[in-house]
Amino acid sequence: MILTPEALEALRGQLIVSCQAYPGEPLRDPRTTAQFAASAVIGGAAAVRVQGLADVQFTRAAVEVPVIGLWKDGHDGVFITPTLRHALAVAGGGAHVVAIDGTRRRRPDGLTLTQTVAGIHRESHALVMADCGSFDDAAAAVEAGADLIGTTLSGYTGERPKTHGPDVELIEQIAAAGFGVPLIAEGRLHTPEQARQCLDAGAFAVVVGTAITHPATITGWFAEALK
């Protein structure tokens, strides 16, 4: 299935659920990721976001909603689908949308963001979501041809402070610029109220991950509150 403009428009105002577990955790299994994704869809998720090639493949078989795929390689700097090779592998695994590092930082393969986006468009049918960390990142990603832009990396690249919740100010700034591509709010959305706030600030859709699909962190919130 190719994600058509009509199918993309259907995500407006909707919830996207990020289903990821960290290496070494009990739930770090592609089959479990797919089960989480299927459960999220039952709850109302209009799309899902998963990390890892096998996770993309298993999830594609388990759900009938758009799958945003990525491949994390490394822990610092540019590590979210850092190269064109990574991106094409994710697309080849069946992702409707490939999420890549959309910052202005140097990429490991030496390609520019524009070259990377063009390569994905040329070699696959996938759309490109640029995970950005600032307004300037978002502007550059739109110029580079990204189909969607997200606030995923706000607070993690040194350009903006790490807010306790979502970076609503950044969402408002990008929305006000009217770039003409869907703006996806992502990062530190922990409550339904925050998700609603992001939509009201101008986001096209919102991604929620940890608060829905990471039991260890959710348990920690409750445990900490009881101390």
Side-chain angles (χ1 to χ4, degrees):
M1 179 181 85
I2 299 173
L3 191 60
T4 64
E6 293 76 18
L8 181 59
E9 178 60 29
L11 297 181
R12 182 183 295 275
Q14 299 297 310
L15 171 66
I16 301 167
V17 174
S18 179
C19 306
Q20 300 182 42
Y22 299 104
E25 294 183 339
L27 298 179
R28 185 69 193 98
D29 184 291
R31 293 165 296 186
T32 304
T33 300
Q35 291 170 333
F36 261 122
S39 297
V41 172
I42 291 173
V48 294
R49 175 172 161 127
V50 299
Q51 189 281 136
L53 300 183
D55 298 71
V56 170
Q57 293 167 349
F58 273 86
T59 300
R60 270 299 307 266
V63 304
E64 296 184 357
V65 300
V67 174
I68 302 172
L70 61 141
W71 178 357
K72 291 181 179 178
D73 192 358
H75 302 283
D76 300 306
V78 176
F79 67 90
I80 296 177
T81 322
T83 70
L84 178 58
R85 176 180 67 85
H86 289 85
L88 293 179
V90 172
H96 302 96
V97 179
V98 178
I100 66 174
D101 183 295
T103 67
R104 305 181 325 280
R105 298 176 294 184
R106 184 181 184 279
R107 306 179 68 82
D109 58 5
L111 296 180
T112 65
L113 183 59
T114 298
Q115 290 172 326
T116 301
V117 173
I120 298 170
H121 285 157
R122 183 177 61 251
E123 302 294 335
S124 78
H125 295 296
L127 300 183
V128 179
M129 176 175 172
D131 290 349
C132 301
S134 68
F135 179 89
D136 289 342
D137 282 346
V142 171
E143 181 68 23
D147 302 289
L148 307 91
I149 50 176
T151 57
T152 318
L153 291 173
S154 173
Y156 300 104
T157 64
E159 288 196 78
R160 294 187 61 82
K162 185 178 179 181
T163 53
H164 178 68
D167 193 341
V168 177
E169 181 182 61
L170 178 59
I171 294 168
E172 291 174 338
Q173 290 175 351
I174 297 174
F179 288 130
V181 301
L183 167 60
I184 311 299
E186 183 172 8
R188 301 181 297 278
L189 278 84
H190 295 158
T191 69
E193 292 75 19
Q194 289 176 334
R196 179 72 253 178
Q197 183 183 19
C198 289
L199 282 186
D200 291 342
F204 177 85
V206 299
V207 174
V208 178
T210 296
I212 295 176
T213 60
H214 200 247
T217 298
I218 300 168
T219 302
W221 292 342
F222 282 87
E224 182 65 27
L226 297 179
K227 288 182 180 178

